[in-house]
Amino acid sequence: MSRKKNPKSPKSGTSLLGPAVVFGALFVLALAAYANSFQVPLVFDDLLSVQRNTGVQFGEFNWNLLSARSVLYLTFTLNHIWSGQDVWSYHVVNFLLHFLNGALIFLIALCA
């Protein structure tokens, strides 16, 4: 009796080169999109959310993870601890979060 091969099952010699190329291309494209933002100052709602927000500066905001913006303020607080008011770290974290979300979407699509 011969067994039919499942077309979705990975081949025995499957290389990780394909996903690595996609992750590399995704990283380069995301970096190109964010490259000009690393030196841009905080503007608009950033002034209230970061610069003048004592809860972010001292970690005194509501740490309830069920709150709508608690994870956002957590990242702001960690950025403030890391680099104070230097804007580059806020943009680096934003870039990394967007890159990782793009990689996650790729992995979900790959497994579907």
Side-chain angles (χ1 to χ4, degrees):
M1 225 185 208
S2 67
R3 293 181 130 184
K4 291 184 180 181
K5 291 185 179 181
N6 184 353
K8 287 191 175 186
S9 67
K11 298 176 185 175
S12 60
T14 301
S15 170
L16 293 177
L17 182 62
V21 169
V22 172
F23 288 138
L26 182 62
F27 185 85
V28 168
L29 289 172
L31 188 59
Y34 275 89
N36 65 348
S37 74
F38 294 119
Q39 297 301 320
V40 175
L42 296 173
V43 294
F44 303 121
D45 65 336
D46 298 334
L47 300 175
L48 291 176
S49 298
V50 179
Q51 281 186 334
R52 297 183 191 135
N53 189 342
T54 57
V56 166
Q57 293 175 0
F58 300 109
E60 296 173 351
F61 62 89
N62 185 4
W63 288 87
N64 180 6
L65 292 180
L66 299 177
S67 174
R69 299 188 69 141
S70 61
V71 174
L72 174 69
Y73 286 124
L74 173 63
T75 62
F76 286 167
T77 299
L78 295 175
N79 276 317
H80 192 273
I81 291 168
W82 184 18
S83 67
Q85 296 292 330
D86 289 335
V87 72
W88 64 269
S89 73
Y90 297 89
H91 293 295
V92 167
V93 168
N94 196 11
F95 160 74
L96 289 174
L97 288 173
H98 280 86
F99 167 69
L100 291 173
N101 278 315
L104 180 62
I105 294 296
F106 172 72
L107 288 174
I108 289 171
L110 189 65
C111 293

